[in-house]
């Protein structure tokens, strides 16, 4: 442990009750809550703006919560860790804040709540709440070190500052060009706190080699499906891209994918394809397979499959074994991606600061009094659809009660 020797840092003007590093979703809510308790709060952000990810989220409309969010929806090494925070700060709490600021919103689908207008409204709301409780926000703040003795000392390209509590709200590794860094993991390691394996989540799959040509020619084609991997299934659309596959079903399943895993896609969920093909064979024996399948699936996809995998011929030429094979291919289309687009485009980072070293009630590190970790930095990851912001709000709220 190092002693803090800095006259500037020691001066009351540079001492805060709480310093929060990272002015994203979790940090902003935490600042508001700590400020409401009368704490003198300083937020430090290394980019030139607060809430950059909020601005671009939800296609610019911010999918700010999901009314169906429950702890069961989240992945973490300790699935029970998020229960306390998500129970104490629910989607209804955030909706009440949005309503207080008269921000119009709507449910798009599956409980996903979006702003009617720009996502910037959510950032403005959070900043005005921070202002109302006297939070100081400093931008372009390049932190060079964090030290701990009686207080926390944060050194940077600006004057050193000290605090009683230090909240790490710097998010995960997703989208470095928006300001993402591994700062939270570095601080965790510095203080002897474990970090679980991190991976890009909610991210498109890519294919290399010859296979990519198949995907490229179908870029833009979307198919409703179920995607299954590692025992988890999502029912949504998949989308072909120039590099492989994306779309909600693929993004969702990517968070559960590990290198070399196979992903199983049912391209006609809840539909008895074999029975349909047999019926068509009887009713329209001279009609070609491509015509039959094009009534069920996008014609471009059927054409590509007929060139690659199936023989396109009149239905009466297929044996039962052939029809069973076609059914299996479309109802259990198995892909083995070469990788993902990585942190460059991933919406989240799975894994993070290990929940075994953090209090689920306060978000404070068990080994280091006054050091808190919140938001995406922590090993709690939600699916697509407003769940990750809900975790950021809930964990930020909890830390704000104790920091
Ligand atoms: C394109 C995109 C769209 C998304 N859309 C949605 C959506 O609609 N709904 C949803 O629920 N989730 C969405 N997400 C996920 C969501 O944005 C994150 O889960 C959420 O922002 C995490 O909040 P956070 O506060 O933990 O981290 P962040 O919001 O990432 O904030 C971390 C902050 O810390 C700052 N920082 C990092 N390192 C340092 C450092 N060394 N010093 C100082 N500051 C630092 C960053 O610049 C940033 O401002 C989306 C993500 C992306 C990338």
């Amino acid at each position: 442990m190092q002693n803090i020797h800095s006259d500037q840092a020691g001066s009351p003007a540079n001492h805060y009750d709480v310093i929060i590093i990272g002015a994203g979703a979790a940090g902003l809510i935490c600042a508001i809550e700590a400020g409401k308790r009368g704490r003198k709060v300083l937020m430090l952000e290394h980019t030139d703006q607060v809430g950059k990810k909020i601005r671009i989220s939800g296609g610019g409309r911010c999918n700010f919560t999901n009314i169906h969010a429950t702890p069961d929806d989240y992945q973490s090494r300790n699935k029970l860790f998020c229960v306390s925070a998500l129970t104490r700060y629910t989607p209804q709490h955030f909706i009440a804040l949005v309503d207080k600021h008269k921000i119009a919103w709507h449910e798009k689908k599956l409980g996903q709540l979006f702003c009617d207008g720009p996502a910037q409204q959510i950032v403005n709301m959070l900043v005005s709440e921070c202002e109302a409780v006297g939070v100081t926000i400093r931008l372009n703040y390049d932190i060079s070190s964090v030290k701990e003795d009686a207080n926390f000392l944060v050194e940077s390209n600006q004057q050193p500052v000290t605090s009683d509590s230090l909240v790490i709200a710097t998010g995960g590794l997703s989208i470095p060009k928006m300001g993402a860094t591994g700062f939270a993991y570095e601080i965790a390691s510095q203080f002897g706190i474990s970090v679980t394996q991190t991976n890009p989540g909610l991210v498109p799959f890519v294919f290399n080699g010859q296979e990519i040509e198949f995907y490229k020619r179908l870029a833009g084609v979307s198919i409703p499906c179920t995607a299954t991997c590692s025992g988890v299934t999502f029912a949504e659309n998949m989308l072909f891209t120039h590099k492989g596959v994306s779309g909600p079903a693929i993004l969702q399943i990517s968070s559960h994918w590990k290198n070399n895993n196979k992903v199983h896609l049912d391209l006609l969920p809840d539909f008895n394809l074999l029975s349909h093909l047999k019926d068509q064979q009887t009713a329209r024996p001279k009609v070609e397979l491509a015509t039959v399948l094009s009534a069920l699936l996008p014609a471009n996809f059927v054409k590509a499959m007929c060139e690659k995998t199936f023989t396109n011929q009149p239905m009466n030429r297929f044996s039962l074994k052939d029809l069973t094979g076609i059914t299996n291919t479309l109802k259990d289309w198995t892909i083995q991606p070469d990788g993902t687009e990585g942190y460059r485009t991933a919406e989240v980072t799975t894994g993070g600061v290990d929940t075994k070293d953090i209090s689920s009630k306060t978000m404070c590190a068990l080994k280091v009094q006054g050091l808190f970790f919140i938001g995406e930095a922590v090993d709690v990851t939600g699916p697509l659809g407003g769940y990750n912001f809900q975790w950021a709000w809930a964990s930020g709220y909890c830390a704000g009660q104790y920091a």
Side-chain angles (χ1 to χ4, degrees), residues 21-28 44-47 49-54 56-59 61-65 113-114 141-143 169-172 174-175 178-184 186 202 345-349 374-378 383-393 395:
I21 304 181
L28 286 161
L44 306 176
E45 166 61 46
H46 75 147
T47 71
Q49 288 172 8
V50 303
K52 271 195 172 185
K53 275 194 190 164
I54 301 174
I56 59 156
S57 66
R61 290 278 185 261
C62 188
N63 179 192
F64 55 81
T65 193
L113 304 193
F114 285 76
Y141 205 96
D142 284 332
I143 294 165
T170 50
S174 325
I175 321 224
M178 301 293 303
T181 67
F183 184 83
E186 289 159 26
L202 302 180
T345 64
E347 280 198 19
V348 287
T349 302
I374 54 174
E376 197 178 316
V378 179
L384 202 67
Y387 295 85
N388 285 298
F389 277 139
Q390 188 56 37
W391 168 248
W393 315 135
S395 56

Side-chain angles (χ1 to χ4, degrees), residues 95-348:
I95 293 167
L97 185 58
V98 170
D99 286 345
K100 177 182 152 196
H101 285 258
K102 299 191 169 29
I103 297 172
W105 54 269
H106 61 278
E107 180 182 346
K108 197 168 174 186
K109 58 173 182 174
L110 306 168
Q112 302 167 4
L113 304 193
F114 285 76
C115 297
D116 290 357
Q120 179 67 42
Q121 293 173 290
I122 298 291
V123 179
N124 295 347
M125 171 188 88
L126 295 167
V127 170
S128 83
E129 288 282 324
C130 280
E131 283 167 0
V133 293
V135 173
T136 304
I137 301 177
R138 292 205 192 137
L139 303 175
N140 300 308
Y141 205 96
D142 284 332
I143 294 165
S144 51
S145 73
V146 170
K147 292 171 187 160
E148 188 224 8
D149 191 356
N151 297 320
F152 292 97
L153 169 71
V154 179
E155 293 176 314
S156 68
N157 59 341
Q158 302 181 30
Q159 281 200 345
V161 283
T162 57
S163 63
D164 299 337
S165 296
L166 181 67
V167 182
I168 308 297
T170 50
L173 295 166
S174 325
I175 321 224
K177 78 166 190 243
M178 301 293 303
T181 67
F183 184 83
Y185 316 136
E186 289 159 26
I187 295 296
S189 303
Q190 178 187 331
F191 285 93
I193 295 161
S194 311
V195 177
T196 66
Q197 167 79 44
T198 56
N199 281 305
L202 302 180
V203 62
F205 288 133
V206 297
F207 293 88
N208 302 324
Q210 293 283 2
E211 219 178 342
I212 189 60
E213 295 309 320
F214 175 78
Y215 293 91
K216 259 189 194 168
R217 70 179 281 196
L218 290 171
V221 172
S222 169
I223 304 178
C225 71
T226 62
T228 303
C229 183
S230 309
V232 183
T233 298
F234 290 98
E236 289 244 28
N237 275 23
M238 64 162 290
L239 174 74
F240 288 89
T241 72
H242 284 98
K243 293 177 185 163
V245 282
S246 183
I250 297 297
L251 297 180
Q252 299 280 34
I253 210 68
S254 72
S255 294
H256 300 268
W257 181 83
K258 296 196 177 60
N259 279 345
N260 298 323
N261 271 180
K262 289 179 178 160
V263 178
H264 299 269
L265 301 170
D266 181 347
L267 302 180
L268 289 162
D270 303 321
F271 184 74
N272 190 334
L273 180 59
L274 181 59
S275 160
H276 179 76
L277 292 177
K278 286 198 277 187
D279 289 350
Q280 290 291 304
Q281 194 173 45
T282 310
R284 304 199 294 162
K286 297 272 164 53
V287 169
E288 289 185 337
L289 175 69
T291 309
V292 171
L293 291 180
S294 293
L296 305 170
L297 290 160
N300 290 353
F301 173 74
V302 171
K303 187 163 182 277
M305 287 302 279
C306 284
E307 286 168 22
K308 181 176 179 254
T309 310
F310 307 143
T311 309
N312 186 29
Q313 57 186 4
M315 291 301 288
N316 60 4
R317 299 226 192 121
F318 288 105
S319 66
L320 179 59
K321 192 175 163 207
D322 294 335
L323 296 184
T324 306
I326 293 163
T327 300
N328 290 343
T329 302
L330 295 174
K331 301 264 315 157
D332 185 14
W333 188 34
T334 306
I335 58 170
Q336 193 164 14
D338 289 308
T340 71
E341 289 187 9
Y343 291 116
R344 188 180 61 80
T345 64
E347 280 198 19
V348 287

